[in-house]
């Protein structure tokens, strides 16, 4: 055997499924139960008085494996299964009636069902088998469309919804309006939703995965990349210990003084039990200060926190009145890689670190994470204690 032939034969070797044994057993049990219940109901409801009637078609077995194993695939969604199968039966019967030659009837049924599935967005491979089945066996009774095809398809989809949901799999996937979606890839430095659409259009191939799952897959891959770079180091490895904090009843003047004295840009706000109830940052002061006044930023903030007399009554005076709450926190034993997407969104630059009881034990900043990431790529001889400036 030549090396070229050997390499070609090796390229034909299928790759292993990237799912664990538990998921394989979950799909196997689901598909088995789905066919058993569907076949049982269809057999009981079969019209025995009919002289020529089929109560089940074998292609439903293929529908079952799609519904219970590839439940997130566009090919396995309820619309594709029910409409595709029903349409396939109608097309096969029509071709059997109109075209006497069985070869031509089969050919026409195949072409017609594929075209209609494209037009109606109900591509479901087993539906082509149903069309060929009806054309091949010369079925000319349109009641075959309603029973067993429509009946069995609805039963199988219903069982898929119940079983997948009970086993922790969302089927069908929830489609949110565009305005209500929270795009996984929509933040600076990463792929945007528009980038993904452009790539899919250029790829120009049908994917056996939904667009939303593809977004999540890319997000998981990015997190795995960070974990590979950072290892399994926890937040406690680089956080600033014993951070400066303040209570919600403290004055704004006291908070501003602490931030100036320690040259920090954020203060975690804690209650009497040391639980984090919020965070106050320079941005919180800036949002409250009158930025329309033609003065320096420092002067405007000082005027805001020191406003005397009656005018002060209309202004916040306590930390709890302007702090950001609830504060986004992380656990001390949480992997640092899990925080990178949060910092990457640009909305979080300071992260209070808490213990198992939710009490403040440290502070981690975007700068701390970047410095540690840089050090993991290019180790330095000297290190320094992280700060949350």
């Amino acid at each position: 055997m030549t090396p070229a032939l050997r390499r070609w034969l090796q390229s034909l070797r299928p790759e292993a499924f990237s799912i664990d044994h538990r998921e394989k057993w979950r799909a196997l049990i689901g598909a088995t139960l789905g066919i058993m219940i569907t076949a049982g109901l269809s057999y009981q409801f079969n019209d025995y008085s009919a002289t020529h009637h089929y109560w089940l078609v074998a292609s439903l077995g293929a529908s079952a494996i799609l519904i219970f194993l590839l439940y997130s695939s566009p090919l396995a969604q309820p619309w594709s299964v029910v409409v595709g199968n029903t349409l396939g039966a109608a097309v096969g019967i029509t071709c059997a009636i109109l075209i006497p030659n069985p070869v031509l009837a089969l050919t026409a049924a195949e072409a017609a069902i594929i075209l209609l599935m494209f037009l109606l967005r109900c591509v479901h491979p087993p539906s082509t088998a149903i069309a060929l089945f009806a054309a091949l066996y010369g079925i000319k009774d349109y009641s075959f469309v309603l029973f067993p095809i429509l009946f069995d398809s609805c039963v199988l989809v219903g069982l898929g919804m119940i079983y997948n949901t009970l086993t922790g799999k969302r089927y069908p996937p929830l489609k949110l309006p565009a305005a209500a979606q929270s795009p996984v890839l929509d933040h600076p430095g990463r792929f945007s939703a528009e980038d993904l659409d452009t790539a899919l259009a250029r790829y120009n191939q049908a994917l056996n995965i939904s667009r939303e799952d593809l977004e999540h897959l890319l997000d998981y891959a990015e997190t795995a990349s960070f974990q590979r770079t950072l290892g399994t180091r926890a937040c406690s490895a680089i956080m600033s210990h014993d951070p400066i904090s303040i209570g919600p009843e403290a004055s704004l003047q006291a908070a501003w003084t602490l931030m100036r004295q320690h040259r920090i840009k954020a203060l975690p706000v804690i209650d009497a039990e040391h639980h984090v109830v919020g965070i106050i940052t320079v941005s919180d002061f800036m949002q409250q200060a009158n930025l329309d006044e033609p003065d320096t930023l420092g002067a405007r903030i000082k005027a805001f926190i020191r406003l005397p007399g009656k005018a002060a009554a209309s202004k916040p005076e306590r930390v709890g009145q302007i702090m950001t709450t609830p504060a986004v926190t992380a656990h001390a034993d949480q992997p640092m890689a899990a925080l990178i997407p949060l910092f990457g969104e640009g909305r979080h630059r300071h992260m209070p670190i808490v213990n198992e009881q939710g009490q403040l034990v440290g502070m981690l900043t975007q700068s701390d994470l970047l410095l540690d990431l840089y050090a993991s790529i290019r180790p330095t001889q000297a290190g320094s204690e992280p700060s949350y400036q």
Side-chain angles (χ1 to χ4, degrees):
M1 182 181 297
T2 64
L5 179 58
R6 185 181 297 108
R7 286 195 299 269
W8 180 78
L9 291 175
Q10 290 176 347
S11 69
L12 300 179
R13 182 181 180 182
E15 297 182 0
F17 273 144
S18 56
I19 56 176
D20 58 21
H21 292 299
R22 181 178 180 181
E23 175 61 14
K24 291 176 183 177
W25 277 104
R26 190 200 68 81
L28 186 153
I29 295 173
T32 303
L33 290 175
I35 287 297
M36 182 183 70
I37 296 174
T38 302
L41 291 175
S42 184
Y43 183 77
Q44 292 297 322
F45 292 151
N46 182 33
D47 184 7
Y48 292 100
S49 63
T51 57
H52 186 71
H53 207 293
Y54 300 92
W55 56 275
L56 193 73
V57 290
S59 58
L60 283 178
S63 296
I65 194 65
L66 287 172
I67 292 173
F68 293 96
L69 178 62
L70 305 178
Y71 50 87
S72 63
S73 169
L75 307 179
Q77 300 314 302
W79 172 265
S80 299
V81 177
V82 175
V83 177
N85 286 347
T86 305
L87 197 63
V91 167
I93 293 173
T94 302
C95 290
I97 294 174
L98 299 179
I99 306 175
N101 187 295
V103 175
L104 294 180
L106 289 172
T107 304
E110 178 76 5
I113 185 58
I114 292 177
L115 177 61
L116 289 174
M117 286 193 298
F118 284 154
L119 293 176
L120 297 180
R121 301 180 182 181
C122 59
V123 176
H124 184 62
S127 302
T128 62
I130 292 179
L132 294 181
F133 177 86
L136 178 63
Y137 288 97
I139 299 176
K140 299 179 180 180
D141 184 0
Y142 279 103
S143 64
F144 176 76
V145 175
L146 300 179
F147 184 89
I149 301 303
L150 178 59
F151 175 82
D152 290 351
S153 298
C154 290
V155 171
L156 193 61
V157 166
L159 293 172
M161 292 180 178
I162 296 172
Y163 181 83
N164 286 333
T165 301
L166 292 178
T167 54
K169 308 298 180 180
R170 191 171 62 186
Y171 176 80
L174 179 64
K175 297 289 185 181
L176 296 176
Q181 289 181 0
S182 176
V184 178
L185 306 177
D186 191 18
H187 35 74
R190 302 171 66 192
F191 300 115
S192 67
E194 291 75 15
D195 294 334
L196 185 58
D197 290 335
T198 301
L200 289 173
R202 183 171 298 179
Y203 186 64
N204 196 30
Q205 293 187 34
L207 296 180
N208 200 22
I209 184 174
S210 67
R211 183 187 181 282
E212 291 75 15
D213 284 340
L214 181 59
E215 289 183 352
H216 288 290
L217 181 63
L218 291 175
D219 190 56
Y220 296 149
E222 184 181 53
T223 302
S225 175
F226 289 137
Q227 290 176 338
R228 174 175 50 81
T229 303
L230 296 174
T232 57
R233 298 183 65 196
C235 294
S236 57
I238 66 169
M239 71 181 186
S240 298
H241 297 269
D242 300 321
I244 306 299
S245 60
I246 199 167
E249 297 301 321
S251 67
L252 295 178
Q253 176 63 62
W256 184 253
T257 300
L258 277 175
M259 293 169 70
R260 296 278 290 179
Q261 285 179 350
H262 296 276
R263 296 182 179 181
I264 56 179
K265 298 179 181 178
L267 279 174
V269 184
I270 60 175
D271 59 15
E273 286 77 29
H274 224 61
H275 296 134
V276 177
V277 296
I279 187 171
I280 185 169
T281 66
V282 172
S283 297
D284 294 321
F285 282 98
M286 292 175 62
Q287 291 175 6
Q288 295 294 331
N290 187 0
L291 300 182
D292 295 329
E293 292 294 333
D295 203 345
T296 64
L297 176 60
R300 290 197 295 270
I301 293 179
K302 290 179 181 178
F304 163 66
I305 61 179
R306 295 176 181 173
L307 196 63
K310 296 181 179 179
S314 62
K315 294 286 185 178
E317 298 180 353
R318 303 296 176 186
V319 169
Q321 293 176 283
I322 72 167
M323 69 180 182
T324 299
T325 184
V328 177
T329 61
H331 289 277
D333 57 354
Q334 189 171 353
M336 291 184 297
L339 303 187
I340 292 181
L342 293 175
F343 284 121
E345 291 176 357
R347 294 193 297 267
H348 307 290
R349 288 186 171 85
H350 310 85
M351 187 79 65
I353 308 299
V354 298
N355 58 18
E356 294 181 355
Q357 290 73 40
Q359 297 172 316
L360 180 69
V361 294
M363 195 74 170
L364 186 60
T365 70
Q366 191 178 53
S367 298
D368 296 332
L369 201 58
L370 289 175
L371 287 173
D372 191 77
L373 180 60
Y374 177 78
S376 66
I377 298 174
R378 179 177 292 183
T380 57
Q381 294 181 352
S384 60
E385 173 72 12
S387 64
Y388 51 108
Q389 297 183 1

